Amino acid sequence: MIDGWISAARRIDSPNADDRPDSERISLIVVHSISLPPGKFGSDDIVRLFTNTLDPHAHPYFLPISKMRVSAHFLVRRSGELLQFVSCLQRAWHAGVSAYKGRDRCNDFSIGIELEGCDDLPFEHAQYEQLVDLIGELRAAFPIEAVVGHSQISPVRKTDPGPCFDWHRLEIFDSLLV
């Protein structure tokens, strides 16, 4: 890892990030899922959302979200391909209103990993393999204390990574799972 960028990831810079507060250390990994439009896979619409280039007229679902300024640090495609949008040393805008163990603003101290997927379909084996490798690399670089789902830090607002996410596939990190 150089300057917070993973060499195995395809780098696509997102403007939806800023500096972390000086006193914050990275201690949390947040697992998300996303598909655009919902339930559809394989397009570059997620990349467009994270880079503020989503065409609001390309699909009816896009109009209300096209002005959102969001990005995770990483996206793991269905194929297992790894994309990185924000340096791990920066704060990506992925968690929104959130709290973990009494600490608000999880973006300040977390790394966000999006899996291309949805609540209703299983994730792919290649995604779990890539996720395990990525978490391992992040643990080697940062004092990660826990791996959680977005639904665990924003339970009223979010359901991802959803009921089809197999947490047992991360049992190698059992001590980190909440």
Side-chain angles (χ1 to χ4, degrees):
M1 182 180 311
I2 299 172
D3 294 330
W5 295 94
I6 303 279
S7 60
R10 181 164 59 106
R11 181 175 172 169
I12 303 171
D13 291 324
S14 171
N16 302 325
D18 59 4
D19 292 331
R20 292 181 188 275
D22 288 336
S23 62
E24 290 292 350
R25 64 185 180 90
I26 299 163
S27 60
L28 185 68
I29 293 174
V30 180
V31 179
H32 303 261
S33 66
I34 187 171
S35 58
L36 290 178
K40 304 292 183 196
F41 308 124
S43 76
D44 281 331
D45 292 327
I46 299 167
V47 172
R48 290 182 189 102
L49 177 67
F50 288 176
T51 57
N52 303 337
T53 59
L54 187 65
D55 178 357
H57 307 293
H59 188 278
Y61 184 81
F62 296 168
L63 185 58
I65 67 166
S66 64
K67 299 289 185 197
M68 293 176 70
R69 298 298 175 244
V70 297
S71 180
H73 292 87
F74 298 96
L75 170 65
V76 180
R77 295 244 192 219
R78 305 288 289 177
S79 65
E81 179 188 14
L82 181 63
L83 285 67
Q84 185 171 1
F85 296 90
V86 174
S87 164
C88 294
L89 303 179
Q90 287 191 293
R91 174 175 51 194
W93 304 341
H94 64 93
V97 176
S98 55
Y100 177 72
K101 290 192 173 182
R103 293 176 66 193
D104 293 331
R105 301 177 50 94
C106 292
N107 285 343
D108 291 351
F109 56 93
S110 69
I111 292 174
I113 304 172
E114 290 277 5
L115 301 177
E116 187 177 27
C118 61
D119 283 3
D120 306 322
L121 295 169
F123 293 89
E124 299 293 335
H125 177 73
Q127 290 180 287
Y128 288 109
E129 286 184 331
Q130 184 64 257
L131 183 59
V132 166
D133 290 348
L134 179 56
I135 292 171
E137 190 163 349
L138 294 172
R139 283 188 70 208
F142 303 105
I144 301 299
E145 297 172 4
V147 177
V148 298
H150 196 188
S151 60
Q152 292 169 276
I153 61 168
S154 299
V156 173
R157 297 183 316 109
K158 297 296 180 176
T159 60
D160 60 310
C164 291
F165 184 75
D166 185 358
W167 287 98
H168 296 290
R169 301 288 294 267
L170 301 183
E171 65 188 14
I172 188 172
F173 307 113
D174 203 35
S175 64
L176 299 177
L177 301 178
V178 178

